Amino acid sequence: MICVLKRSQFIRAIPALLLASSSVVMASDFKPAPQEFQQEVPLHWVLPAGASANGLTLVDTAPDGTVRVADGRRWYALRGDRFEVLPPPPGAAESTGYVFVGNTAHVLPVPLSAVRQINHQEDKSVWLATSAGVIILAADGQLTTELPDQDVRQVATGPGGLVLAATAH
């Protein structure tokens, strides 16, 4: 393509041409630094013997960083490359739900399969989103239920006592 410019148009076009050519020079001198990215690597573990055929429903971490998972009936700790069954609280029936506050297991008024989310708080309490409302479990084992009879899917807490709950209805 050939453009014919009058002298006045050419003089006005010179700064644009210089700017365009300098950016080309600058871009050609640009050499990106070497980049290193940590890649996510999926790991797969075999479900523990006796685990529910529905798979794992909850994941949590212990204060020491141990990963704990639940299958809706019981808790397991991931140790190395295998799962180890975690014992329920003393006197708990087979169908009793329980969760951990710190390293201590506490009985729940709902089955473990009803727990959808675990939200740990700085005061060492645990907020649970369940099919029977939000259950707040204090470190001393005291239970409080908010939004009873609501099917709570998620619960989030924030500064100043802010609590958000997503319900099914």
Side-chain angles (χ1 to χ4, degrees):
M1 175 181 198
I2 299 175
C3 292
V4 178
L5 298 174
K6 294 181 182 177
R7 180 179 166 90
S8 63
Q9 291 173 323
F10 181 73
I11 291 173
R12 281 183 281 176
I14 288 175
L17 290 171
L18 289 174
L19 184 60
S21 66
S22 68
S23 65
V24 169
V25 170
M26 290 171 41
S28 67
D29 292 339
F30 176 74
K31 293 190 180 9
Q35 298 180 4
E36 293 182 29
F37 298 100
Q38 291 184 353
Q39 298 295 314
E40 294 179 8
V41 178
L43 300 175
H44 301 277
W45 295 277
V46 177
L47 285 175
S52 169
N54 294 330
L56 304 173
T57 58
L58 287 171
V59 65
D60 193 18
T61 54
D64 66 1
T66 300
V67 175
R68 295 185 286 220
V69 295
D71 68 354
R73 296 182 300 181
R74 66 183 64 86
W75 284 96
Y76 304 90
L78 181 59
R79 304 213 192 273
D81 61 350
R82 63 182 187 83
F83 288 104
E84 173 184 300
V85 175
L86 294 174
E94 177 70 25
S95 62
T96 302
Y98 63 99
V99 295
F100 294 87
V101 179
N103 286 319
T104 306
H106 294 275
V107 174
L108 296 175
V110 296
L112 187 54
S113 61
V115 179
R116 297 208 167 88
Q117 181 194 17
I118 300 173
N119 188 322
H120 292 272
Q121 299 299 302
E122 289 181 18
D123 67 357
K124 306 297 183 212
S125 64
V126 176
W127 290 54
L128 306 169
T130 76
S131 59
V134 176
I135 297 174
I136 304 162
L137 177 59
D140 64 3
Q142 181 180 352
L143 289 167
T144 306
T145 302
E146 299 290 338
L147 301 173
D149 302 323
Q150 290 289 320
D151 185 359
V152 179
R153 302 297 173 97
Q154 276 192 308
V155 63
T157 58
L162 175 69
V163 177
L164 304 169
T167 64
H169 302 289

